[in-house]
Amino acid sequence: MSLAGKVCLITGAAGGLGSATARRLAADGVRLVLTDVDGGRLAALAEDLPVETVVHAGDVSVEADVDAAVAAGVAAFGRIDLHHLNAGVPGPLVRLPELSVADWDRVLGINLRGAFLGVRAAFRQYEVQRSGGAIVLTASIASLRASDDLLAYHASKHGVLGLLKGAALYGGPIGVRVNAVAPGIVPTALFAGAGDGPGGGDDMARRAATTPLRRPGTGDEIASVVAFLLGEGAAYMTGETVSVDGGAAAV
Ligand code: NAD
């Protein structure tokens, strides 16, 4: 059941959840291809990891950057077995009439177009390798619910589930599994931009305290489910979204 020796590409790897997956997989002996727009933090993370790691700075919404990250991984390791397509940004917290086209395009561009480009690049490589593969997308509790002040984020994360289902249908017959993890609230830089106001860290802590488990999650608690979905323990799972949210989606 071990993932040791496999190669995994992680997007948004410099961030809270991406770096948690990187550390978790590195502890399991997985070699890593790490990508993020923040090349400086990527390099610092890679220095800390006990496995062979390739870093590639790039933007998930730019086709050439996504393809170049896969090419860098293949150049270093000869193959890529697993993908955690995780990069994402929060939406602006505004009411529907105030949501700008620029913000809509930016959030959909990174969270949904970026996920599409990552899935497509993964499949193109898997079809060359002809030995199956596994992809985990980072969805969100916002993939399953909506609110009236975070429309672009909700639309992008609902879209990720449509992408997931179509990709799982395509991948099944060629041995590629595609699943998603749907985190609830995990304190990361994702909430830093909103300060202490609505959508900020304090607001999220208050919301987390009302979930059945009465606390926010940790990056490690998301990463362990990502590792499970990537591994042989999930061999009969595809097209599935697993909530890791302290029970928030259940109530
Ligand atoms: P984070 O801000 O710590 O990490 C996100 C990372 O994505 C950052 O390192 C950032 O540099 C990178 N990134 C942003 N735009 C990019 C782009 N265009 N190209 C490449 N990289 C880019 O946030 P996080 O909480 O680790 O978020 C990771 C994922 O988890 C996101 O998809 C987010 O929507 C999702 N998520 C997070 C939570 C949570 O509570 N933290 C909950 C549900 C879903």
Side-chain angles (χ1 to χ4, degrees):
M1 301 291 246
S2 168
L3 288 175
K6 302 260 186 205
V7 178
C8 183
L9 184 150
I10 304 172
T11 70
L17 302 192
S19 62
T21 298
R23 290 182 203 286
R24 168 58 203 254
L25 294 182
D28 291 345
V30 177
R31 295 171 291 165
L32 297 169
V33 184
L34 305 179
T35 88
D36 199 288
V37 275
D38 189 334
R41 276 193 303 144
L42 268 187
L45 172 65
E47 273 183 23
D48 234 22
L49 296 173
V51 287
E52 272 183 274
T53 302
V54 167
V55 297
H56 190 272
D59 184 331
V60 290
S61 66
V62 175
E63 187 176 5
D65 286 3
V66 173
D67 294 344
V70 171
V74 173
F77 299 122
R79 59 185 295 108
I80 298 178
D81 305 292
L82 313 167
H83 287 75
H84 181 201
L85 302 175
N86 161 78
V89 289
L93 206 62
V94 294
R95 295 170 61 244
L96 172 58
E98 282 86 50
L99 178 59
S100 70
V101 171
D103 276 334
W104 173 271
D105 285 348
R106 180 179 57 81
V107 174
L108 272 284
I110 295 170
N111 294 1
L112 185 52
R113 174 190 159 101
F116 154 65
L117 290 173
V119 166
R120 192 183 67 171
F123 266 96
R124 286 179 173 171
Q125 183 58 29
Y126 288 155
E127 289 191 326
V128 170
Q129 296 172 188
R130 298 168 73 94
S131 54
I135 299 171
V136 173
L137 293 155
T138 303
S140 171
I141 191 170
S143 300
L144 311 169
R145 298 232 179 122
S147 63
D148 60 4
D149 57 2
L150 202 58
L151 187 68
Y153 188 70
H154 282 281
S156 70
K157 290 295 185 180
H158 275 67
V160 165
L161 298 195
L163 172 68
L164 158 77
K165 290 172 187 170
L169 281 173
Y170 181 74
I174 56 171
V176 178
R177 298 182 301 101
V178 191
N179 292 293
V181 66
I185 295 170
V186 181
T188 66
L190 199 72
F191 305 120
D196 291 336
D202 289 352
D203 183 33
M204 288 299 148
R206 273 192 298 278
R207 290 194 205 187
T210 68
T211 63
L213 290 181
R214 297 285 191 270
R215 64 172 177 85
T218 67
D220 290 348
E221 289 168 331
I222 309 301
S224 68
V225 177
V226 173
F228 165 71
L229 290 172
L230 289 173
E232 284 303 303
Y236 199 50
M237 291 177 71
T238 195
E240 187 60 81
T241 301
V242 180
S243 291
V244 190
D245 61 4
V251 293

